[in-house]
Structure formats: C-alpha cells, structure tokens
Amino acid sequence: DSGWQLSVGFDWRHVVAISGSAREMETSTLLPEPSLYVVKAMFILDNEGQRLVAKYYDETFPSAKEQKSFEQNTFNKTHKADGEIAFLEGMTIVYKSSIDLFFYVVGSCHENELMLVSVLTCLFESLSHMLRKNVEKRSLLDNLDSAFLVMDEIVDGGVILECDSQQVIQKLNFRTASEPAYGFVLFDYITGTAEQSSSVSRKCQT
C-alpha cells in the first residue's frame, strides 16, 4: 500500500507541474510583453495634412515615405471627425485640433488611451504656453526648435517622462505667459542687432 501511495503522490506532483507550465505558456501567448515604449510617434500637421513637426520612436514606420503615408492617412481619417481617438493600421491615435493645427500622439493597439491623452494634453498645453496661447501655424513655424524641445521633455525614446505641462515649462526655463514667446524674443534680438550694426555702419560712412 505504501508503495502505491508513493507512486500516486509522485504522479500527482508531476501532473501539477505540467499543468502549471501549460498555464504559464498559455498566459505568455495571450498577453503582450511588458514594455516602457508606450508612445510610437508624435506629430503636428497643418490643416492640409502637411507635416510641421514629427518624432517617431521605433521602427513601425522606418522610412520617411512610410511616415508621411501614415500621417496622411491619419489626417484623412480624423480632420473632419468629432472624436478624439482613432484606430488605424493597428495603432491607437489620440488627437486634438486648434485653428489650423492638428496634434497627434500614437501608441500601439494595446496602449492605455488615457496615458496617450495625458501626453497629448501636456504637449498642447506646453506649446500653448510657449506660443502665448496663440496656437496656430505661423506661431509654431516661428518656434519649431522650441517645439522639438518640448517633445523631448515629454517623451524620450518612446518612454513618457513628463505629463505635467508646468513641469515641462520649468525644465525648459521658458518665460512666463506675460512675456514674448521664445522665438519672438530671439527674432527681436537678431533684428535689433542688425539695426544697430546698420546704424553704426551709417555713422562710420558719414
């Protein structure tokens, strides 16, 4: 009897071990591997679907041609829609418009939509502060370098670093909303320097 009980006990533990391994294998095939790379791309288009600013963080769209095609398809699907979330080519896309600009944040189909919306909101609010709430194409074109810096503060290599626009502004040491935007300050400085140089040149000639 003792021999029979030992045999049953051994077989039972063996069956449990096999069953556990099977469950682990099934779970691993159903669930995606965890990853910190939650943002695949961010881009800003004008009201004709043309790219103004864009950053891609993986090889989902490896070539410039594929990126432009995806951006155009995204614009065509969203620019007349009333929603804020779209699904295209296996991607989850959250978006927002302002005057003649369209802002997009792209993640995988498994990504948390609320997290993507947080990134989009941070991007929009940070740029709104930088542009003195004048969020339109002309102002953005005058501040493209700063727009890229804002994106880099929010996402690095696809990993979300910051979702608080005030923290982004502080890190970049932008001026307060009551002062001119960074791009205009730089423009005023350049034109002012040019005028001073011209004035000095005229004095020398006289």
Side-chain angles (χ1 to χ4, degrees), residues 35-42 55-60 105-108 111-112 115-116 119 151-163:
S35 173
L36 291 175
Y37 296 88
V38 296
V39 175
K40 289 184 172 291
M42 291 193 293
K55 296 204 62 115
Y56 286 79
Y57 301 105
D58 65 11
E59 295 301 314
T60 302
V105 175
V106 182
S108 74
E111 202 49 67
N112 186 316
M115 184 62 71
L116 296 177
V119 173
M151 286 183 166
D152 289 342
E153 286 295 332
I154 299 173
V155 175
D156 182 18
V159 179
I160 299 174
L161 301 179
E162 186 60 70
C163 286

PDB file of all heavy atoms in Angstrom, residues 35-42 55-60 105-108 111-112 115-116 119 151-163:
ATOM      1  N   SER A  35       6.318  46.592 -21.736  1.00  0.00           N
ATOM      2  CA  SER A  35       7.293  47.486 -22.351  1.00  0.00           C
ATOM      3  C   SER A  35       7.082  48.905 -21.868  1.00  0.00           C
ATOM      4  O   SER A  35       5.962  49.328 -21.595  1.00  0.00           O
ATOM      5  CB  SER A  35       7.165  47.432 -23.876  1.00  0.00           C
ATOM      6  OG  SER A  35       7.984  48.412 -24.480  1.00  0.00           O
ATOM      7  N   LEU A  36       8.179  49.649 -21.739  1.00  0.00           N
ATOM      8  CA  LEU A  36       8.092  51.061 -21.382  1.00  0.00           C
ATOM      9  C   LEU A  36       7.880  51.934 -22.613  1.00  0.00           C
ATOM     10  O   LEU A  36       7.578  53.108 -22.499  1.00  0.00           O
ATOM     11  CB  LEU A  36       9.381  51.500 -20.673  1.00  0.00           C
ATOM     12  CG  LEU A  36       9.615  50.930 -19.271  1.00  0.00           C
ATOM     13  CD1 LEU A  36      10.986  51.349 -18.762  1.00  0.00           C
ATOM     14  CD2 LEU A  36       8.543  51.390 -18.306  1.00  0.00           C
ATOM     15  N   TYR A  37       8.017  51.341 -23.794  1.00  0.00           N
ATOM     16  CA  TYR A  37       7.913  52.118 -25.019  1.00  0.00           C
ATOM     17  C   TYR A  37       6.440  52.286 -25.384  1.00  0.00           C
ATOM     18  O   TYR A  37       5.905  51.593 -26.232  1.00  0.00           O
ATOM     19  CB  TYR A  37       8.695  51.438 -26.139  1.00  0.00           C
ATOM     20  CG  TYR A  37      10.168  51.388 -25.840  1.00  0.00           C
ATOM     21  CD1 TYR A  37      10.716  50.333 -25.124  1.00  0.00           C
ATOM     22  CD2 TYR A  37      11.009  52.416 -26.252  1.00  0.00           C
ATOM     23  CE1 TYR A  37      12.070  50.288 -24.835  1.00  0.00           C
ATOM     24  CE2 TYR A  37      12.362  52.376 -25.965  1.00  0.00           C
ATOM     25  CZ  TYR A  37      12.890  51.315 -25.259  1.00  0.00           C
ATOM     26  OH  TYR A  37      14.230  51.282 -24.962  1.00  0.00           O
ATOM     27  N   VAL A  38       5.785  53.235 -24.713  1.00  0.00           N
ATOM     28  CA  VAL A  38       4.343  53.366 -24.841  1.00  0.00           C
ATOM     29  C   VAL A  38       3.931  54.341 -25.936  1.00  0.00           C
ATOM     30  O   VAL A  38       2.783  54.335 -26.355  1.00  0.00           O
ATOM     31  CB  VAL A  38       3.719  53.799 -23.499  1.00  0.00           C
ATOM     32  CG1 VAL A  38       3.932  52.730 -22.456  1.00  0.00           C
ATOM     33  CG2 VAL A  38       4.304  55.120 -23.028  1.00  0.00           C
ATOM     34  N   VAL A  39       4.822  55.205 -26.396  1.00  0.00           N
ATOM     35  CA  VAL A  39       4.498  56.156 -27.457  1.00  0.00           C
ATOM     36  C   VAL A  39       5.311  55.806 -28.698  1.00  0.00           C
ATOM     37  O   VAL A  39       6.535  55.707 -28.635  1.00  0.00           O
ATOM     38  CB  VAL A  39       4.792  57.608 -27.023  1.00  0.00           C
ATOM     39  CG1 VAL A  39       4.565  58.568 -28.185  1.00  0.00           C
ATOM     40  CG2 VAL A  39       3.922  57.999 -25.839  1.00  0.00           C
ATOM     41  N   LYS A  40       4.626  55.606 -29.808  1.00  0.00           N
ATOM     42  CA  LYS A  40       5.312  55.270 -31.051  1.00  0.00           C
ATOM     43  C   LYS A  40       5.652  56.511 -31.871  1.00  0.00           C
ATOM     44  O   LYS A  40       6.640  56.519 -32.611  1.00  0.00           O
ATOM     45  CB  LYS A  40       4.460  54.308 -31.879  1.00  0.00           C
ATOM     46  CG  LYS A  40       4.381  52.909 -31.273  1.00  0.00           C
ATOM     47  CD  LYS A  40       3.599  51.977 -32.181  1.00  0.00           C
ATOM     48  CE  LYS A  40       3.689  50.539 -31.675  1.00  0.00           C
ATOM     49  NZ  LYS A  40       5.047  49.979 -31.815  1.00  0.00           N
ATOM     50  N   ALA A  41       4.834  57.557 -31.737  1.00  0.00           N
ATOM     51  CA  ALA A  41       5.092  58.767 -32.523  1.00  0.00           C
ATOM     52  C   ALA A  41       4.287  59.935 -31.979  1.00  0.00           C
ATOM     53  O   ALA A  41       3.245  59.749 -31.329  1.00  0.00           O
ATOM     54  CB  ALA A  41       4.746  58.543 -33.990  1.00  0.00           C
ATOM     55  N   MET A  42       4.768  61.129 -32.247  1.00  0.00           N
ATOM     56  CA  MET A  42       4.038  62.373 -32.027  1.00  0.00           C
ATOM     57  C   MET A  42       4.267  63.238 -33.253  1.00  0.00           C
ATOM     58  O   MET A  42       5.399  63.340 -33.724  1.00  0.00           O
ATOM     59  CB  MET A  42       4.531  63.122 -30.775  1.00  0.00           C
ATOM     60  CG  MET A  42       4.215  62.458 -29.457  1.00  0.00           C
ATOM     61  SD  MET A  42       4.484  63.580 -28.047  1.00  0.00           S
ATOM     62  CE  MET A  42       6.260  63.771 -28.099  1.00  0.00           C
ATOM     63  N   LYS A  55       8.057  63.278 -34.537  1.00  0.00           N
ATOM     64  CA  LYS A  55       9.082  62.438 -33.917  1.00  0.00           C
ATOM     65  C   LYS A  55       8.548  61.018 -33.858  1.00  0.00           C
ATOM     66  O   LYS A  55       7.449  60.774 -33.379  1.00  0.00           O
ATOM     67  CB  LYS A  55       9.439  62.947 -32.512  1.00  0.00           C
ATOM     68  CG  LYS A  55      10.064  64.333 -32.525  1.00  0.00           C
ATOM     69  CD  LYS A  55      10.910  64.605 -31.305  1.00  0.00           C
ATOM     70  CE  LYS A  55      12.072  63.702 -31.155  1.00  0.00           C
ATOM     71  NZ  LYS A  55      13.370  64.347 -31.267  1.00  0.00           N
ATOM     72  N   TYR A  56       9.344  60.061 -34.361  1.00  0.00           N
ATOM     73  CA  TYR A  56       8.997  58.643 -34.317  1.00  0.00           C
ATOM     74  C   TYR A  56      10.004  57.929 -33.418  1.00  0.00           C
ATOM     75  O   TYR A  56      11.194  58.241 -33.442  1.00  0.00           O
ATOM     76  CB  TYR A  56       9.013  58.044 -35.725  1.00  0.00           C
ATOM     77  CG  TYR A  56       7.820  58.464 -36.558  1.00  0.00           C
ATOM     78  CD1 TYR A  56       7.774  59.713 -37.154  1.00  0.00           C
ATOM     79  CD2 TYR A  56       6.740  57.603 -36.719  1.00  0.00           C
ATOM     80  CE1 TYR A  56       6.671  60.111 -37.909  1.00  0.00           C
ATOM     81  CE2 TYR A  56       5.632  57.981 -37.485  1.00  0.00           C
ATOM     82  CZ  TYR A  56       5.608  59.237 -38.071  1.00  0.00           C
ATOM     83  OH  TYR A  56       4.509  59.622 -38.803  1.00  0.00           O
ATOM     84  N   TYR A  57       9.503  56.936 -32.642  1.00  0.00           N
ATOM     85  CA  TYR A  57      10.330  56.357 -31.601  1.00  0.00           C
ATOM     86  C   TYR A  57      10.648  54.873 -31.789  1.00  0.00           C
ATOM     87  O   TYR A  57      11.336  54.285 -30.959  1.00  0.00           O
ATOM     88  CB  TYR A  57       9.649  56.556 -30.247  1.00  0.00           C
ATOM     89  CG  TYR A  57       9.418  58.017 -29.934  1.00  0.00           C
ATOM     90  CD1 TYR A  57       8.153  58.581 -30.033  1.00  0.00           C
ATOM     91  CD2 TYR A  57      10.482  58.852 -29.566  1.00  0.00           C
ATOM     92  CE1 TYR A  57       7.953  59.922 -29.764  1.00  0.00           C
ATOM     93  CE2 TYR A  57      10.286  60.185 -29.297  1.00  0.00           C
ATOM     94  CZ  TYR A  57       9.018  60.722 -29.395  1.00  0.00           C
ATOM     95  OH  TYR A  57       8.810  62.061 -29.142  1.00  0.00           O
ATOM     96  N   ASP A  58      10.143  54.254 -32.843  1.00  0.00           N
ATOM     97  CA  ASP A  58      10.517  52.861 -33.118  1.00  0.00           C
ATOM     98  C   ASP A  58      10.500  52.637 -34.619  1.00  0.00           C
ATOM     99  O   ASP A  58      10.416  53.583 -35.404  1.00  0.00           O
ATOM    100  CB  ASP A  58       9.614  51.870 -32.368  1.00  0.00           C
ATOM    101  CG  ASP A  58       8.162  51.931 -32.827  1.00  0.00           C
ATOM    102  OD1 ASP A  58       7.880  52.585 -33.864  1.00  0.00           O
ATOM    103  OD2 ASP A  58       7.297  51.335 -32.158  1.00  0.00           O
ATOM    104  N   GLU A  59      10.591  51.380 -35.034  1.00  0.00           N
ATOM    105  CA  GLU A  59      10.705  51.058 -36.452  1.00  0.00           C
ATOM    106  C   GLU A  59       9.375  50.636 -37.075  1.00  0.00           C
ATOM    107  O   GLU A  59       9.351  49.951 -38.102  1.00  0.00           O
ATOM    108  CB  GLU A  59      11.736  49.932 -36.633  1.00  0.00           C
ATOM    109  CG  GLU A  59      13.145  50.328 -36.233  1.00  0.00           C
ATOM    110  CD  GLU A  59      13.652  51.516 -37.043  1.00  0.00           C
ATOM    111  OE1 GLU A  59      13.474  51.508 -38.270  1.00  0.00           O
ATOM    112  OE2 GLU A  59      14.216  52.451 -36.442  1.00  0.00           O
ATOM    113  N   THR A  60       8.270  51.027 -36.458  1.00  0.00           N
ATOM    114  CA  THR A  60       6.971  50.699 -37.039  1.00  0.00           C
ATOM    115  C   THR A  60       6.829  51.316 -38.425  1.00  0.00           C
ATOM    116  O   THR A  60       6.308  50.694 -39.356  1.00  0.00           O
ATOM    117  CB  THR A  60       5.833  51.204 -36.131  1.00  0.00           C
ATOM    118  OG1 THR A  60       5.970  50.621 -34.832  1.00  0.00           O
ATOM    119  CG2 THR A  60       4.475  50.821 -36.699  1.00  0.00           C
ATOM    120  N   VAL A 105      -0.835  61.934 -31.057  1.00  0.00           N
ATOM    121  CA  VAL A 105       0.036  61.045 -30.292  1.00  0.00           C
ATOM    122  C   VAL A 105      -0.383  59.619 -30.632  1.00  0.00           C
ATOM    123  O   VAL A 105      -1.574  59.285 -30.579  1.00  0.00           O
ATOM    124  CB  VAL A 105      -0.071  61.292 -28.775  1.00  0.00           C
ATOM    125  CG1 VAL A 105       0.758  60.259 -27.999  1.00  0.00           C
ATOM    126  CG2 VAL A 105       0.396  62.702 -28.428  1.00  0.00           C
ATOM    127  N   VAL A 106       0.589  58.781 -30.976  1.00  0.00           N
ATOM    128  CA  VAL A 106       0.309  57.430 -31.478  1.00  0.00           C
ATOM    129  C   VAL A 106       0.897  56.379 -30.545  1.00  0.00           C
ATOM    130  O   VAL A 106       2.049  56.493 -30.105  1.00  0.00           O
ATOM    131  CB  VAL A 106       0.904  57.248 -32.893  1.00  0.00           C
ATOM    132  CG1 VAL A 106       0.564  55.863 -33.431  1.00  0.00           C
ATOM    133  CG2 VAL A 106       0.411  58.340 -33.836  1.00  0.00           C
ATOM    134  N   GLY A 107       0.107  55.355 -30.253  1.00  0.00           N
ATOM    135  CA  GLY A 107       0.570  54.222 -29.458  1.00  0.00           C
ATOM    136  C   GLY A 107       0.103  52.925 -30.097  1.00  0.00           C
ATOM    137  O   GLY A 107      -0.620  52.930 -31.097  1.00  0.00           O
ATOM    138  N   SER A 108       0.499  51.804 -29.526  1.00  0.00           N
ATOM    139  CA  SER A 108       0.073  50.514 -30.067  1.00  0.00           C
ATOM    140  C   SER A 108      -1.394  50.272 -29.728  1.00  0.00           C
ATOM    141  O   SER A 108      -1.997  50.997 -28.927  1.00  0.00           O
ATOM    142  CB  SER A 108       0.933  49.386 -29.482  1.00  0.00           C
ATOM    143  OG  SER A 108       0.559  49.143 -28.136  1.00  0.00           O
ATOM    144  N   GLU A 111      -2.142  49.946 -26.040  1.00  0.00           N
ATOM    145  CA  GLU A 111      -1.742  51.019 -25.139  1.00  0.00           C
ATOM    146  C   GLU A 111      -2.933  51.634 -24.406  1.00  0.00           C
ATOM    147  O   GLU A 111      -4.060  51.651 -24.904  1.00  0.00           O
ATOM    148  CB  GLU A 111      -0.992  52.107 -25.932  1.00  0.00           C
ATOM    149  CG  GLU A 111      -0.105  52.964 -25.063  1.00  0.00           C
ATOM    150  CD  GLU A 111       0.752  52.102 -24.164  1.00  0.00           C
ATOM    151  OE1 GLU A 111       1.617  51.388 -24.671  1.00  0.00           O
ATOM    152  OE2 GLU A 111       0.518  52.137 -22.937  1.00  0.00           O
ATOM    153  N   ASN A 112      -2.652  52.131 -23.206  1.00  0.00           N
ATOM    154  CA  ASN A 112      -3.654  52.797 -22.389  1.00  0.00           C
ATOM    155  C   ASN A 112      -4.023  54.133 -23.029  1.00  0.00           C
ATOM    156  O   ASN A 112      -3.182  55.027 -23.152  1.00  0.00           O
ATOM    157  CB  ASN A 112      -3.090  53.008 -20.976  1.00  0.00           C
ATOM    158  CG  ASN A 112      -4.126  53.555 -20.014  1.00  0.00           C
ATOM    159  OD1 ASN A 112      -4.881  54.462 -20.342  1.00  0.00           O
ATOM    160  ND2 ASN A 112      -4.146  53.008 -18.817  1.00  0.00           N
ATOM    161  N   MET A 115      -3.381  57.305 -20.935  1.00  0.00           N
ATOM    162  CA  MET A 115      -1.983  57.708 -20.877  1.00  0.00           C
ATOM    163  C   MET A 115      -1.607  58.503 -22.127  1.00  0.00           C
ATOM    164  O   MET A 115      -0.920  59.530 -22.052  1.00  0.00           O
ATOM    165  CB  MET A 115      -1.085  56.486 -20.734  1.00  0.00           C
ATOM    166  CG  MET A 115       0.392  56.824 -20.561  1.00  0.00           C
ATOM    167  SD  MET A 115       0.717  57.789 -19.061  1.00  0.00           S
ATOM    168  CE  MET A 115       0.426  56.515 -17.818  1.00  0.00           C
ATOM    169  N   LEU A 116      -2.074  58.046 -23.270  1.00  0.00           N
ATOM    170  CA  LEU A 116      -1.801  58.765 -24.511  1.00  0.00           C
ATOM    171  C   LEU A 116      -2.460  60.144 -24.509  1.00  0.00           C
ATOM    172  O   LEU A 116      -1.876  61.121 -24.974  1.00  0.00           O
ATOM    173  CB  LEU A 116      -2.293  57.953 -25.714  1.00  0.00           C
ATOM    174  CG  LEU A 116      -1.600  56.609 -25.956  1.00  0.00           C
ATOM    175  CD1 LEU A 116      -2.253  55.891 -27.136  1.00  0.00           C
ATOM    176  CD2 LEU A 116      -0.110  56.780 -26.185  1.00  0.00           C
ATOM    177  N   VAL A 119      -0.369  62.563 -22.511  1.00  0.00           N
ATOM    178  CA  VAL A 119       0.773  63.055 -23.288  1.00  0.00           C
ATOM    179  C   VAL A 119       0.320  64.141 -24.260  1.00  0.00           C
ATOM    180  O   VAL A 119       0.964  65.193 -24.391  1.00  0.00           O
ATOM    181  CB  VAL A 119       1.442  61.896 -24.057  1.00  0.00           C
ATOM    182  CG1 VAL A 119       2.514  62.425 -25.001  1.00  0.00           C
ATOM    183  CG2 VAL A 119       2.044  60.893 -23.086  1.00  0.00           C
ATOM    184  N   MET A 151       8.759  68.388 -27.028  1.00  0.00           N
ATOM    185  CA  MET A 151       8.537  66.951 -27.255  1.00  0.00           C
ATOM    186  C   MET A 151       9.574  66.108 -26.536  1.00  0.00           C
ATOM    187  O   MET A 151       9.245  65.066 -25.943  1.00  0.00           O
ATOM    188  CB  MET A 151       8.572  66.658 -28.755  1.00  0.00           C
ATOM    189  CG  MET A 151       7.343  67.113 -29.519  1.00  0.00           C
ATOM    190  SD  MET A 151       7.445  66.633 -31.269  1.00  0.00           S
ATOM    191  CE  MET A 151       5.747  66.899 -31.799  1.00  0.00           C
ATOM    192  N   ASP A 152      10.830  66.555 -26.573  1.00  0.00           N
ATOM    193  CA  ASP A 152      11.911  65.789 -25.937  1.00  0.00           C
ATOM    194  C   ASP A 152      11.768  65.744 -24.425  1.00  0.00           C
ATOM    195  O   ASP A 152      12.212  64.784 -23.792  1.00  0.00           O
ATOM    196  CB  ASP A 152      13.266  66.375 -26.317  1.00  0.00           C
ATOM    197  CG  ASP A 152      13.623  66.120 -27.770  1.00  0.00           C
ATOM    198  OD1 ASP A 152      13.015  65.222 -28.378  1.00  0.00           O
ATOM    199  OD2 ASP A 152      14.501  66.832 -28.303  1.00  0.00           O
ATOM    200  N   GLU A 153      11.161  66.770 -23.846  1.00  0.00           N
ATOM    201  CA  GLU A 153      10.944  66.778 -22.399  1.00  0.00           C
ATOM    202  C   GLU A 153       9.804  65.853 -21.996  1.00  0.00           C
ATOM    203  O   GLU A 153       9.781  65.334 -20.888  1.00  0.00           O
ATOM    204  CB  GLU A 153      10.647  68.199 -21.909  1.00  0.00           C
ATOM    205  CG  GLU A 153      11.850  69.115 -21.872  1.00  0.00           C
ATOM    206  CD  GLU A 153      12.900  68.667 -20.863  1.00  0.00           C
ATOM    207  OE1 GLU A 153      12.527  68.014 -19.866  1.00  0.00           O
ATOM    208  OE2 GLU A 153      14.087  68.958 -21.073  1.00  0.00           O
ATOM    209  N   ILE A 154       8.857  65.649 -22.905  1.00  0.00           N
ATOM    210  CA  ILE A 154       7.685  64.824 -22.594  1.00  0.00           C
ATOM    211  C   ILE A 154       7.968  63.346 -22.838  1.00  0.00           C
ATOM    212  O   ILE A 154       7.617  62.487 -22.024  1.00  0.00           O
ATOM    213  CB  ILE A 154       6.482  65.281 -23.431  1.00  0.00           C
ATOM    214  CG1 ILE A 154       6.136  66.739 -23.094  1.00  0.00           C
ATOM    215  CG2 ILE A 154       5.268  64.381 -23.174  1.00  0.00           C
ATOM    216  CD1 ILE A 154       5.062  67.335 -23.994  1.00  0.00           C
ATOM    217  N   VAL A 155       8.602  63.040 -23.965  1.00  0.00           N
ATOM    218  CA  VAL A 155       8.873  61.638 -24.345  1.00  0.00           C
ATOM    219  C   VAL A 155      10.321  61.515 -24.788  1.00  0.00           C
ATOM    220  O   VAL A 155      10.824  62.339 -25.551  1.00  0.00           O
ATOM    221  CB  VAL A 155       7.941  61.186 -25.488  1.00  0.00           C
ATOM    222  CG1 VAL A 155       8.312  59.783 -25.954  1.00  0.00           C
ATOM    223  CG2 VAL A 155       6.488  61.231 -25.052  1.00  0.00           C
ATOM    224  N   ASP A 156      10.986  60.475 -24.317  1.00  0.00           N
ATOM    225  CA  ASP A 156      12.367  60.194 -24.716  1.00  0.00           C
ATOM    226  C   ASP A 156      12.459  58.749 -25.179  1.00  0.00           C
ATOM    227  O   ASP A 156      12.280  57.822 -24.390  1.00  0.00           O
ATOM    228  CB  ASP A 156      13.321  60.448 -23.552  1.00  0.00           C
ATOM    229  CG  ASP A 156      14.782  60.212 -23.938  1.00  0.00           C
ATOM    230  OD1 ASP A 156      15.077  60.193 -25.146  1.00  0.00           O
ATOM    231  OD2 ASP A 156      15.622  60.048 -23.032  1.00  0.00           O
ATOM    232  N   GLY A 157      12.711  58.550 -26.459  1.00  0.00           N
ATOM    233  CA  GLY A 157      12.829  57.198 -26.989  1.00  0.00           C
ATOM    234  C   GLY A 157      11.566  56.378 -26.869  1.00  0.00           C
ATOM    235  O   GLY A 157      11.610  55.148 -26.834  1.00  0.00           O
ATOM    236  N   GLY A 158      10.404  57.038 -26.800  1.00  0.00           N
ATOM    237  CA  GLY A 158       9.137  56.337 -26.648  1.00  0.00           C
ATOM    238  C   GLY A 158       8.672  56.220 -25.211  1.00  0.00           C
ATOM    239  O   GLY A 158       7.523  55.864 -24.950  1.00  0.00           O
ATOM    240  N   VAL A 159       9.546  56.526 -24.260  1.00  0.00           N
ATOM    241  CA  VAL A 159       9.203  56.429 -22.840  1.00  0.00           C
ATOM    242  C   VAL A 159       8.676  57.779 -22.355  1.00  0.00           C
ATOM    243  O   VAL A 159       9.303  58.824 -22.585  1.00  0.00           O
ATOM    244  CB  VAL A 159      10.430  56.029 -22.000  1.00  0.00           C
ATOM    245  CG1 VAL A 159      10.060  55.945 -20.521  1.00  0.00           C
ATOM    246  CG2 VAL A 159      10.986  54.704 -22.491  1.00  0.00           C
ATOM    247  N   ILE A 160       7.533  57.773 -21.702  1.00  0.00           N
ATOM    248  CA  ILE A 160       6.938  59.006 -21.192  1.00  0.00           C
ATOM    249  C   ILE A 160       7.726  59.490 -19.970  1.00  0.00           C
ATOM    250  O   ILE A 160       7.875  58.769 -18.985  1.00  0.00           O
ATOM    251  CB  ILE A 160       5.471  58.785 -20.807  1.00  0.00           C
ATOM    252  CG1 ILE A 160       4.665  58.365 -22.022  1.00  0.00           C
ATOM    253  CG2 ILE A 160       4.875  60.051 -20.192  1.00  0.00           C
ATOM    254  CD1 ILE A 160       3.235  57.982 -21.724  1.00  0.00           C
ATOM    255  N   LEU A 161       8.219  60.720 -20.067  1.00  0.00           N
ATOM    256  CA  LEU A 161       8.977  61.313 -18.966  1.00  0.00           C
ATOM    257  C   LEU A 161       8.142  62.263 -18.126  1.00  0.00           C
ATOM    258  O   LEU A 161       8.325  62.355 -16.912  1.00  0.00           O
ATOM    259  CB  LEU A 161      10.194  62.073 -19.512  1.00  0.00           C
ATOM    260  CG  LEU A 161      11.213  61.281 -20.333  1.00  0.00           C
ATOM    261  CD1 LEU A 161      12.326  62.217 -20.795  1.00  0.00           C
ATOM    262  CD2 LEU A 161      11.777  60.118 -19.534  1.00  0.00           C
ATOM    263  N   GLU A 162       7.238  62.979 -18.769  1.00  0.00           N
ATOM    264  CA  GLU A 162       6.502  64.027 -18.070  1.00  0.00           C
ATOM    265  C   GLU A 162       5.134  64.237 -18.702  1.00  0.00           C
ATOM    266  O   GLU A 162       4.998  64.228 -19.928  1.00  0.00           O
ATOM    267  CB  GLU A 162       7.299  65.334 -18.131  1.00  0.00           C
ATOM    268  CG  GLU A 162       6.716  66.468 -17.327  1.00  0.00           C
ATOM    269  CD  GLU A 162       6.612  66.134 -15.846  1.00  0.00           C
ATOM    270  OE1 GLU A 162       7.658  66.037 -15.186  1.00  0.00           O
ATOM    271  OE2 GLU A 162       5.466  65.954 -15.371  1.00  0.00           O
ATOM    272  N   CYS A 163       4.102  64.406 -17.854  1.00  0.00           N
ATOM    273  CA  CYS A 163       2.757  64.695 -18.345  1.00  0.00           C
ATOM    274  C   CYS A 163       2.203  65.976 -17.731  1.00  0.00           C
ATOM    275  O   CYS A 163       1.024  66.275 -17.885  1.00  0.00           O
ATOM    276  CB  CYS A 163       1.813  63.534 -18.036  1.00  0.00           C
ATOM    277  SG  CYS A 163       2.086  62.076 -19.082  1.00  0.00           S
TER     278      CYS A 163
END
